[in-house]
Amino acid sequence: MSDSSAPAAGTTPAAPVSLTAAQRRAVAELLRVSPVADELGRRFAAAGHELHLVGGSVRDALLGRLGNDLDFCTDAHPDETLRIVKGWAEAIWETGREFGTIGVQRDGLRLEITTFRAESYDRVTRNPVVRYGTNLVEDLERRDFTINAMAVSLPDHRFTDPYGGLADLAGRLIRTPGTPQESFGDDPLRMLRAARFAAQLRFAVAPPVRAAMTAMAADLDRITAERIRDEFTKLLCGVDPITGLRLLVDTGLAERFLPEFTGLRLEIDEHAQHKDVYEHTLIVVSNAVRLEDDGCDFVLRMAALMHDVGKPATKAVGPDGRVSFHHHEVVGARLTKQRMKDLRYPKDIIGQVVALVALHLRFYGYGRGEWTDSAVRRYVADAGDLLPRLHKLTRSDVTTRNRRKARQLAEDYDALEERITRLRAEEDLARVRPDLDGNAIMELLGVPPGPVVGRAWKHLKELRLERGPLSRDEAEAELLRWAREQGITD
């Protein structure tokens, strides 16, 4: 492999960087797909066209984290690409054809082949005016960051790095091929992508890039909610979401789509008044990440991020000067629901996050010995399938520096979990149901399906939560008593 470092017109070439033995092995790892990639490269070469592996595929191979989705670029136009892959690809999709992209599947790999691009933008929307390019270096120049502007040509495996991506990869730096102002002006979503890569890769953002993100944050308003949601989700699921979140707040980007989070910086935390709520929240997110079982739990991380967003609206200072945030979990749940709806998250995900935010304070007070078995049953019933996440969120919310207090809270929650385990052994807490089902209620009361059955069912469930399991005779007697009080039976 040889390096190619010819810069595009008007740019300053980076100093040539030689691949180390380890990096060469990483590119060789990229070519574990060579039976497919080289074969495809030979097909394009036979048709008189170029083919290059580009972008994230090359970056991830150099980082030792290559996946099965590979990106290629070519001088062939979509119709020519279709002719080349026809009969070779196991599946073909053309959903990106208007942007020059043809999708292909082969031997378990998903390949996207895009014609060289040199598009321009209208600076109003994110949609590019597609103009096909004529060479590889021009195509690489239009990419978001230098670490994504490297290529491996096929089938000869020539390495091309005109903008110093390899050096930036080694230096763990996020930088743009051209000026960041031009790059972000073309596509403001790239500002969010810079923060996302900082979270995913633990890379630093170059000062000029950071300055442009700050100056141009308002341009993010041009981007659709769905695209912002997708980038933000990837950021929050990064290995270091705290770095990404701080970058969003410090540059003003968070204010454009998550203003509730930025507003936390000015509030005092009720549990540890030496910290503001913003810093407390970042610690809670970090704690939640450490408690995850297997990979990113977005619902848990998002609940940790939003659990205190109701505090600014509920802040009060008492006569003694003490700060309180009464019912901030209720307000926070409402704000979280609206914000996630605005970002177009699925309803089931919104419901889970909102429920956790609403429940996150329920545990406090348990250590005073005020909880009956009924209260424990309600805690489990209200949490439902979210109980394991609620355990983690509640434990993550303990950020006090007072070791004695932290130890006491941990012991209290240990005691609650042990109590839940004991009650589960005695009762089926995972499925708290009335002791009579709908059919039994209708038969005993002599009523048809309808609202009366629903009311009776809810009454019996409340009894079940309050008193635990009832025998059949006890349940029937309680139902008949309730029906008489309601005037349903004589």
Side-chain angles (χ1 to χ4, degrees):
M1 285 181 286
S2 61
D3 294 342
S4 173
S5 55
T11 65
T12 302
V17 179
S18 298
L19 288 172
T20 66
Q23 289 161 339
R24 288 181 185 277
R25 286 195 298 272
V27 173
E29 161 61 11
L30 177 64
L31 297 171
R32 69 178 173 81
V33 299
S34 60
V36 171
D38 285 352
E39 191 176 322
L40 185 61
R42 286 191 291 271
R43 292 180 71 91
F44 272 80
H49 292 291
E50 302 174 28
L51 186 71
H52 313 274
L53 278 159
V54 289
S57 297
V58 178
R59 179 201 70 226
D60 287 346
L62 291 167
L63 292 172
R65 40 174 275 178
L66 179 66
N68 290 325
D69 293 343
L70 303 177
D71 294 325
F72 298 80
C73 67
T74 180
D75 60 340
H77 287 198
D79 287 343
E80 297 166 297
T81 295
L82 283 170
R83 283 194 292 270
I84 292 169
V85 300
K86 186 176 181 180
W88 177 82
E90 297 163 356
I92 298 173
W93 55 95
E94 302 181 41
T95 51
R97 181 172 181 156
E98 65 176 311
F99 298 112
T101 300
I102 300 296
V104 169
Q105 182 171 311
R106 175 81 178 194
D107 291 350
L109 299 172
R110 291 174 59 88
L111 319 174
E112 288 200 344
I113 307 165
T114 302
T115 304
F116 289 153
R117 297 245 293 268
E119 69 262 27
S120 60
Y121 292 75
D122 59 15
R123 300 294 175 113
V124 176
T125 69
R126 186 180 184 270
N127 298 325
V129 178
V130 175
R131 178 171 62 84
Y132 293 140
T134 59
N135 62 79
L136 174 61
V137 172
E138 182 182 44
D139 181 89
L140 295 177
E141 182 187 17
R142 74 172 182 82
R143 295 179 181 270
D144 52 4
F145 305 111
T146 58
I147 58 174
N148 296 329
M150 298 177 283
V152 176
S153 302
L154 298 168
D156 62 350
H157 301 179
R158 178 171 45 87
F159 185 81
T160 302
D161 178 26
Y163 303 105
L166 189 58
D168 289 341
L169 203 63
R172 308 179 70 81
L173 186 66
I174 297 170
R175 196 169 56 84
T176 54
T179 68
Q181 291 80 7
E182 182 178 22
S183 180
F184 298 156
D186 282 347
D187 185 355
L189 189 65
R190 290 173 174 174
M191 295 185 286
L192 206 54
R193 283 171 60 83
R196 190 248 289 185
F197 281 125
Q200 285 185 328
L201 304 176
R202 287 197 171 108
F203 279 24
V205 176
V209 175
R210 188 186 183 103
M213 292 166 67
T214 304
M216 302 175 68
D219 285 12
L220 193 65
D221 296 348
R222 289 163 39 196
I223 305 302
T224 64
E226 291 84 356
R227 290 184 177 274
I228 291 175
R229 173 202 65 205
D230 291 346
E231 285 297 329
F232 175 69
T233 299
K234 292 173 183 176
L235 182 156
L236 194 58
C237 278
V239 295
D240 183 15
I242 306 307
T243 292
L245 291 169
R246 286 191 185 279
L247 190 58
L248 290 181
V249 172
D250 292 345
T251 58
L253 286 167
E255 184 67 27
R256 314 311 304 185
F257 69 94
L258 201 62
E260 296 83 1
F261 177 51
T262 1
L264 296 178
R265 285 185 295 181
L266 302 179
E267 305 305 326
I268 304 300
D269 175 30
E270 63 182 325
H271 300 306
Q273 295 190 14
H274 57 277
K275 299 189 188 79
D276 64 36
V277 184
Y278 171 68
E279 291 295 334
H280 163 77
T281 297
L282 292 177
I283 295 171
V284 174
V285 173
S286 182
N287 290 343
V289 171
R290 284 195 292 270
L291 291 178
E292 288 173 337
D293 296 320
D294 184 22
C296 174
D297 183 344
F298 172 77
V299 169
L300 176 62
R301 294 191 187 194
M302 189 65 178
L305 183 70
M306 303 296 284
H307 79 286
D308 275 349
V309 295
K311 283 187 171 180
T314 58
K315 181 179 179 180
V317 181
D320 59 356
R322 292 180 64 84
V323 177
S324 65
F325 304 93
H326 295 307
H327 306 299
H328 76 266
E329 75 280 12
V330 177
V331 174
R334 176 174 53 80
L335 293 173
T336 298
K337 182 177 183 179
Q338 187 57 55
R339 182 55 55 195
M340 293 187 73
K341 283 178 64 177
D342 291 345
L343 288 171
R344 307 292 193 270
Y345 279 100
K347 288 183 179 179
D348 60 330
I349 299 297
I350 295 175
Q352 293 174 55
V353 175
V354 168
L356 288 171
V357 172
L359 290 169
H360 84 274
L361 276 188
R362 182 78 69 87
F363 160 73
Y364 290 95
Y366 176 80
R368 295 193 295 267
E370 300 170 354
W371 282 35
T372 61
D373 284 352
S374 171
V376 176
R377 292 188 196 100
R378 291 178 187 278
Y379 187 76
V380 174
D382 290 346
D385 293 340
L386 292 172
L387 185 62
R389 285 187 173 117
L390 183 57
H391 288 332
K392 294 174 182 176
L393 178 59
T394 303
R395 290 185 182 277
S396 298
D397 197 21
V398 178
T399 64
T400 177
R401 295 178 183 176
N402 185 319
R403 293 184 179 181
R404 183 192 60 78
K405 184 177 180 181
R407 183 173 60 253
Q408 185 61 58
L409 287 169
E411 290 174 356
D412 288 347
Y413 208 83
D414 288 342
L416 175 58
E417 290 201 59
E418 290 170 5
R419 193 168 173 187
I420 290 171
T421 300
R422 176 177 59 78
L423 285 174
R424 273 181 166 158
E426 299 170 358
E427 311 169 22
D428 188 4
L429 289 187
R431 294 182 297 173
V432 175
R433 297 287 187 273
D435 296 283
L436 300 175
D437 63 16
N439 290 328
I441 292 171
M442 288 187 288
E443 181 180 350
L444 191 61
L445 299 184
V447 297
V452 169
V453 179
R455 287 162 49 204
W457 192 92
K458 288 180 181 178
H459 172 70
L460 289 174
K461 182 177 180 181
E462 287 298 312
L463 281 177
R464 174 72 166 76
L465 288 168
E466 185 67 31
R467 292 165 48 181
L470 303 178
S471 68
R472 177 78 180 202
D473 289 344
E474 289 174 322
E476 290 182 354
E478 289 290 349
L479 177 61
L480 290 172
R481 183 185 60 77
W482 173 84
R484 286 193 298 271
E485 291 176 352
Q486 298 292 314
I488 296 168
T489 61
D490 295 330

